[in-house]
Amino acid sequence: MWPDLIQKSKDGGLDVIETYVFWNLHEPVRRQYDFKGRNDLVKFVKTVAEAGLYVHLRIGPYVCAEWNYGGFPLWLHFIPGIQFRTDNGPFKEEMQIFTAKIVDMMKKENLYASQGGPIILSQIENEYGNIDSAYGSAAKSYIQWAASMATSLDTGVPWVMCQQADAPDPMINTCNGFYCDQFTPNSVKKPKMWTENWTGWFLSFGGAAPYRPVEDIAFAVARFFQLGGTFQNYYMYHGGTNFGRTTGGPFIATSYDYDAPIDEYGLLRQPKWGHLKDLHKAIKLCEAALIATDPTITSLGTNLEASVYKTGTGSCAAFLANVRTNSDATVNFSGNSYHLPAWSVSILPDCKNVALNTAQINSMAVMPRFMQQSLKNDIDSSDGFQSGWSWVDEPVGISKNNAFTKLGLLEQINVTADKSDYLWYSLSTEIQGDEPFLEDGSQTVLHVESLGHALHAFINGKLAGSGTGNSGNAKVTEDIPVTLIHGKNTIDLLSLTVGLQNYGAFYDKQGAGITGPVKLKGLANGTTVDLSSQQWTYQVGLQGEELGLPSGSSSKWVSGSTLPKKQPLIWYKTTFDAPAGNDPVALHFIGMGKGEAWVNGQSIGRYWPAYVSSNSGCTSSCDYRGPYNSNKCLKNCGKPSQQL
Ligand code: GAL
């Protein structure tokens, strides 16, 4: 898809493709690198160059990006004495090795602009300034080290640090946000640059779908160039799909559509793409004046502002802004009168004629639609034809021989190293009397506290209850009424992660899993038993994962006349014919609960249509006027966050 996506970006008027570099993709195992296929970074950079565009390589290697663990490989966490993103020897050593490795690869292929290649910028760290106060004085020395480490790699092109007001020279500090017109870099020698202009926002499981009106994006871009901006990058211009288990979290959805100008499937999102294309054209008509001089800014009235870029050689470009949130205005500028809708900028490449007003969309809105095609063996098809399906039951509790026992409750990521989303916590406990009900009629309750992200509790092999956190609070606390039997009872708790934390100070230490307490409350004799420090048995991952069920092979698949439905733990398999042609194909998961899906053995990501967003917070239309934030414009309330 790369050449097509890059061409669509170029056609949309972009000059530079900005990409992160994902450490955990390229070094999944320490010193074992992967630059093949989708991970072929050199090929990507060359593909951009072939289209005649430039590259901004955001190495990080911390990247945030709603990406699992912010892009850090899990092995990093297990290095003795390591502290992430601070003045720490083991961390700095690994960060330097990886950064140098990437820079060397680029240099060997002559990919830096200093060598005649397309890379005009690279980035070190990512928005560290947003959270660095939590790291105390070590933050300062770390960022100084990062700056000199990057500089020493001698790329011949500038480095940027985004959201880093104290970025040491020669690092250029840049801005990320919905608006960056008011931003100024920390030295007059540094250009004003915007590394992330958020075109929408990311989707979480359990959340509604954020979108950002293009009139507001265009306004923000025009304001930026009106006030001396030089480089502006959309985040995302194309976000695509976070296949496999690459999404961060917790609870980041598989779709990273982002309401971007090129949608998840690589199709143009109109009128967003088209209006921004028109905007880029209008701004580029001003190029001669913009690059030659600084603007002269004058007021045309309250919240009405003119910028004029005028050169000695006769070029003149002007931007007229109405920053009012709800009242249109007519202004006089250079003897002419101009109508300015609220929250808009008019661009005058010759200081006289309006090439574009950011609030006026001329681009056509064509919405692509999916053609639905049922699987010939649709589970719910009316003819009840189910013979195309087979299944494997996933056993409840310990079933693999990698199980081990430990006193007490363990944090999940330390145990699984993120090899799987799943960790079983199992325990047998002896109950003296019959426990169905207390004399007062109340039932025994299993109390479980977890750092998240979701859990299922089974008593004696039967599902007793489930719980899930949400993107605002990953923790799960459940009180589950249970029925115990006389004698031995088995408690099997299945804890699930849904993408590892990718943002925040010390995000790597947030942890997950059932760290307790776990208690049985209100036993017949009126007591509460704290099970937290008992001997638990642990199993990382599911049996089906070990058996390689995702590949589709295995002798375990069974089929029969009735397909088991509404099972807590089950694997399903079917086959289908791909539709003809090259159009994007999506699978519709409505009716499914939560899980992960594979097509031809490749994980297409987690699905969770059973997680429905709240009914409130959406509006039928969203006024683009006035400051945008990620909660301002939401759609899809009360519906599954992601179905496709
Ligand atoms: C920024 C970050 C990006 C991405 C974005 C939200 O703070 O630099 O990597 O996470 O937020 O989509």
Side-chain angles (χ1 to χ4, degrees), residues 20 63-66 126-127 176 196 198 201-202 235 256 258:
Y20 277 134
V63 296
C64 194
E66 287 70 71
N126 190 76
E127 293 192 331
N176 293 348
E196 292 183 19
W198 301 320
W201 199 243
F202 56 84
Y235 186 103
Y256 203 56
Y258 221 91

Side-chain angles (χ1 to χ4, degrees), residues 380-564:
D380 284 324
S381 64
S382 47
D383 60 3
F385 182 69
Q386 300 174 341
S387 59
W389 286 89
S390 49
W391 65 91
V392 178
D393 284 316
E394 176 66 30
V396 170
I398 306 302
S399 60
K400 292 167 57 184
N401 45 23
N402 69 350
F404 64 95
T405 58
K406 257 287 178 325
L407 279 184
L409 292 162
L410 300 177
E411 190 281 324
Q412 181 160 352
I413 299 164
N414 276 306
V415 178
T416 63
D418 200 34
K419 292 272 180 331
S420 166
D421 279 359
Y422 301 93
L423 179 63
W424 282 105
Y425 296 68
S426 291
L427 184 82
S428 277
T429 186
E430 205 61 43
I431 295 292
Q432 299 311 329
D434 277 348
E435 290 294 336
F437 292 100
L438 292 184
E439 273 157 28
D440 63 2
S442 63
Q443 204 172 345
T444 305
V445 160
L446 174 69
H447 175 86
V448 186
E449 287 185 42
S450 165
L451 295 177
H453 309 144
L455 69 86
H456 294 302
F458 298 83
I459 299 289
N460 298 326
K462 287 224 163 62
L463 185 66
S466 303
T468 179
N470 57 61
S471 58
N473 178 11
K475 292 191 178 159
V476 189
T477 300
E478 289 293 318
D479 281 298
I480 302 165
V482 295
T483 304
L484 301 173
I485 53 168
H486 178 74
K488 196 178 123 185
N489 287 263
T490 318
I491 300 176
D492 293 301
L493 305 177
L494 181 61
S495 179
L496 296 78
T497 50
V498 191
L500 301 193
Q501 187 74 37
N502 58 268
Y503 182 71
F506 304 107
Y507 75 86
D508 51 303
K509 298 191 172 153
Q510 186 138 319
I514 302 165
T515 48
V518 174
K519 298 176 186 173
L520 282 172
K521 297 203 281 201
L523 291 163
N525 56 10
T527 55
T528 288
V529 187
D530 192 334
L531 304 169
S532 310
S533 48
Q534 297 205 5
Q535 171 141 315
W536 290 82
T537 303
Y538 292 89
Q539 174 185 304
V540 175
L542 304 178
Q543 189 183 73
E545 291 176 295
E546 190 175 71
L547 292 172
L549 298 187
S551 72
S553 56
S554 161
S555 55
K556 300 258 173 183
W557 296 102
V558 295
S559 48
S561 53
T562 345
L563 188 68

Side-chain angles (χ1 to χ4, degrees), residues 6-331:
I6 292 163
Q7 189 58 45
K8 283 171 173 160
S9 308
K10 184 179 187 180
D11 294 345
L14 302 201
D15 309 303
V16 184
I17 303 290
E18 189 171 274
T19 183
Y20 277 134
V21 177
F22 297 101
W23 190 355
N24 58 357
L25 285 189
H26 296 304
E27 196 177 352
V29 177
R30 200 174 181 191
R31 307 297 175 265
Q32 290 180 24
Y33 297 98
D34 182 354
F35 291 97
K36 295 184 306 291
R38 288 166 63 74
N39 295 349
D40 192 341
L41 187 61
V42 165
K43 183 171 182 182
F44 181 77
V45 172
K46 287 184 175 171
T47 310
V48 175
E50 277 156 24
L53 299 183
Y54 296 111
V55 170
H56 175 199
L57 196 64
R58 307 178 77 196
I59 300 176
Y62 166 72
V63 296
C64 194
E66 287 70 71
W67 194 258
N68 198 49
Y69 217 36
F72 284 158
L74 254 289
W75 53 260
L76 205 59
H77 172 70
F78 295 95
I79 292 178
I82 202 161
Q83 303 277 339
F84 290 1
R85 303 179 76 198
T86 188
D87 197 347
N88 168 271
F91 177 76
K92 289 190 296 182
E93 192 182 325
E94 293 299 329
M95 173 164 163
Q96 176 157 8
I97 291 170
F98 182 73
T99 307
K101 165 109 192 158
I102 297 297
V103 169
D104 284 353
M105 283 177 69
M106 299 300 128
K107 275 192 185 171
K108 275 207 187 92
E109 302 278 343
N110 294 318
L111 292 175
Y112 281 100
S114 51
Q115 306 170 292
I119 306 174
I120 55 167
L121 286 170
S122 10
Q123 177 179 305
I124 195 77
E125 251 294 342
N126 190 76
E127 293 192 331
Y128 189 61
N130 287 3
I131 48 103
D132 59 3
S133 60
Y135 293 82
S137 60
K140 196 95 193 164
S141 41
Y142 165 61
I143 222 61
Q144 247 136 23
W145 167 83
S148 51
M149 185 272 284
T151 308
S152 75
L153 297 175
D154 201 20
T155 60
V157 303
W159 286 92
V160 305
M161 282 184 168
C162 59
Q163 296 287 98
Q164 193 71 46
D166 62 354
D169 294 347
M171 302 288 112
I172 301 168
N173 64 311
T174 64
C175 180
N176 293 348
F178 292 114
Y179 307 94
C180 281
D181 50 284
Q182 302 300 318
F183 167 79
T184 44
N186 64 15
S187 151
V188 289
K189 292 187 198 141
K190 298 179 185 176
K192 171 171 172 172
M193 307 209 286
W194 189 356
T195 29
E196 292 183 19
N197 177 2
W198 301 320
T199 53
W201 199 243
F202 56 84
L203 179 69
S204 294
F205 286 124
Y211 65 97
R212 185 178 180 196
V214 69
E215 295 93 329
D216 178 56
I217 304 174
F219 170 75
V221 173
R223 285 291 286 159
F224 182 70
F225 286 103
Q226 169 166 28
L227 299 178
T230 65
F231 171 95
Q232 181 269 141
N233 185 87
Y234 298 105
Y235 186 103
M236 302 304 294
Y237 195 72
H238 168 65
T241 310
N242 286 334
F243 294 114
R245 296 169 59 243
T246 58
T247 66
F251 300 103
I252 306 291
T254 298
S255 167
Y256 203 56
D257 178 86
Y258 221 91
D259 196 34
I262 300 178
D263 77 8
E264 176 169 13
Y265 305 100
L267 306 174
L268 304 184
R269 171 167 280 119
Q270 298 287 29
K272 195 171 251 191
W273 181 89
H275 188 49
L276 295 177
K277 175 187 169 108
D278 294 343
L279 170 74
H280 303 147
K281 211 183 273 170
I283 292 171
K284 285 175 181 180
L285 288 172
C286 307
E287 180 173 339
L290 287 181
I291 62 171
T293 181
D294 287 328
T296 304
I297 296 156
T298 53
S299 170
L300 302 173
T302 311
N303 288 323
L304 301 169
E305 199 169 63
S307 288
V308 177
Y309 291 81
K310 195 177 168 74
T311 69
T313 54
S315 309
C316 185
F319 292 72
L320 309 181
N322 178 354
V323 195
R324 298 175 187 170
T325 55
N326 50 29
S327 58
D328 297 358
T330 299
V331 298

